[in-house]
């Protein structure tokens, strides 16, 4: 993805720095609401069902405080990434038992190849570094978060 | 150090359930297991006990992985991981 595509993927409207709900499923709904409000979701129910079906298979709480709910879904027409963060931490069912504090939701259209997996692996590679996680925690504006994500995923 | 190269049989690759079973299995043994694409240098291998690190590899079905293990149960860990990766997803 080039920079313009990445900016489109993670528009500032898709980034919330307010404390999200304290429970896993509510956080996923909260992320999806950001995408709905940004006008990115054509079928809310379908997108939610696909996200929850993926969690059913295995948790997207991948440890080190990261949750990355994701799905390929007919509920969106364009690849969409939403972000929020928590200072309290949310139990995402991760194997390392660490509460999740950084959340990324990835939705890609049904017709796309495996774009979501590529976004997922680039994000994961950068989030392994404590420095990246720290930057996302301390960023003061949605614009700054957008910049960091674009730098890290590009 | 015991190591081997194993093809990833589950069609979707090392994601979702196969990935979490892989990490769980790596954590079950008294061994430090690291993993990367076939041909990866030692420095480019990541910890097989971290779901985030394994997700970051972005391994597709049909690709080959280099797995290295160190510790008392190194060979047993490699055996279990090889068996897991050789099993189609619907049989896991």
């Amino acid at each position: 993805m080039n920079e313009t595509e990445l900016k489109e993927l993670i528009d500032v409207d898709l980034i919330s720095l307010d404390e999200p709900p304290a429970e896993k499923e509510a956080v996923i709904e909260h992320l999806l609401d950001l995408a709905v409000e940004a006008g990115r979701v054509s079928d809310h129910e379908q997108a939610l069902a696909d996200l929850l079906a993926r969690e059913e298979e295995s948790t997207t709480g991948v440890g080190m405080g990261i949750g990355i709910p994701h799905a390929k879904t007919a509920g969106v027409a364009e690849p969409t990434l939403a972000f929020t963060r928590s200072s309290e931490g949310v139990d995402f069912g991760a194997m390392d038992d660490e509460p999740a504090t950084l959340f990324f939701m990835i939705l890609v259209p049904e017709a796309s190849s495996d774009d979501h997996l590529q976004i997922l692996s680039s994000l994961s590679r950068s989030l392994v570094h404590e420095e990246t996680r720290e930057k996302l925690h301390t960023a003061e504006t949605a614009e700054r978060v957008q910049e960091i994500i674009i730098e890290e995923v590009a | 150090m015991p190591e081997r190269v194993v093809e990833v049989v589950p069609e979707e690759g090392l994601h979702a359930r196969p990935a979490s079973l892989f990490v769980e299995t790596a954590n079950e043994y008294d061994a430090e297991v690291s993993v990367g694409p076939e041909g990866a240098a030692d420095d480019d291998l990541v910890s097989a006990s971290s779901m985030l690190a394994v997700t970051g590899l972005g391994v597709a079905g049909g690709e080959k992985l280099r797995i290295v293990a160190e510790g008392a149960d190194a060979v047993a860990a490699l055996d279990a991981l090889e068996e897991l990766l050789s099993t189609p997803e619907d049989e896991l």
Side-chain angles (χ1 to χ4, degrees), chain A residues 71-138:
Chain A
K72 201 187 243 197
T73 178
V76 297
E78 297 296 331
T80 296
L81 176 62
F83 170 86
T84 191
R85 67 185 182 194
S86 162
S87 46
E88 306 286 318
V90 177
D91 180 1
F92 239 65
M95 254 182 254
D96 66 2
D97 293 325
E98 288 275 324
T101 54
L102 295 173
F103 307 92
F104 303 82
M105 176 193 70
I106 308 168
L107 293 175
V108 297
E110 277 283 311
S112 60
S113 49
D114 281 328
D115 290 352
H116 63 309
L117 299 181
Q118 267 185 35
I119 300 167
L120 180 66
S121 53
S122 321
L123 255 184
S124 303
R125 270 197 299 279
S126 67
L127 291 167
V128 166
H129 306 290
E130 194 184 345
E131 194 197 330
T132 308
R133 301 196 298 271
E134 196 51 39
K135 275 200 277 187
L136 288 165
H137 273 298
T138 53

Side-chain angles (χ1 to χ4, degrees), chain B residues 29-65:
Chain B
Y29 292 86
D30 182 10
E32 286 290 319
V33 184
S34 46
V35 59
E38 181 184 20
D42 288 353
D43 283 352
D44 294 328
L45 299 177
V46 301
S47 168
S49 56
S50 162
M51 190 64 190
L52 185 63
V54 168
T55 303
L57 291 174
V59 181
E63 288 184 6
K64 287 184 179 163
L65 290 179

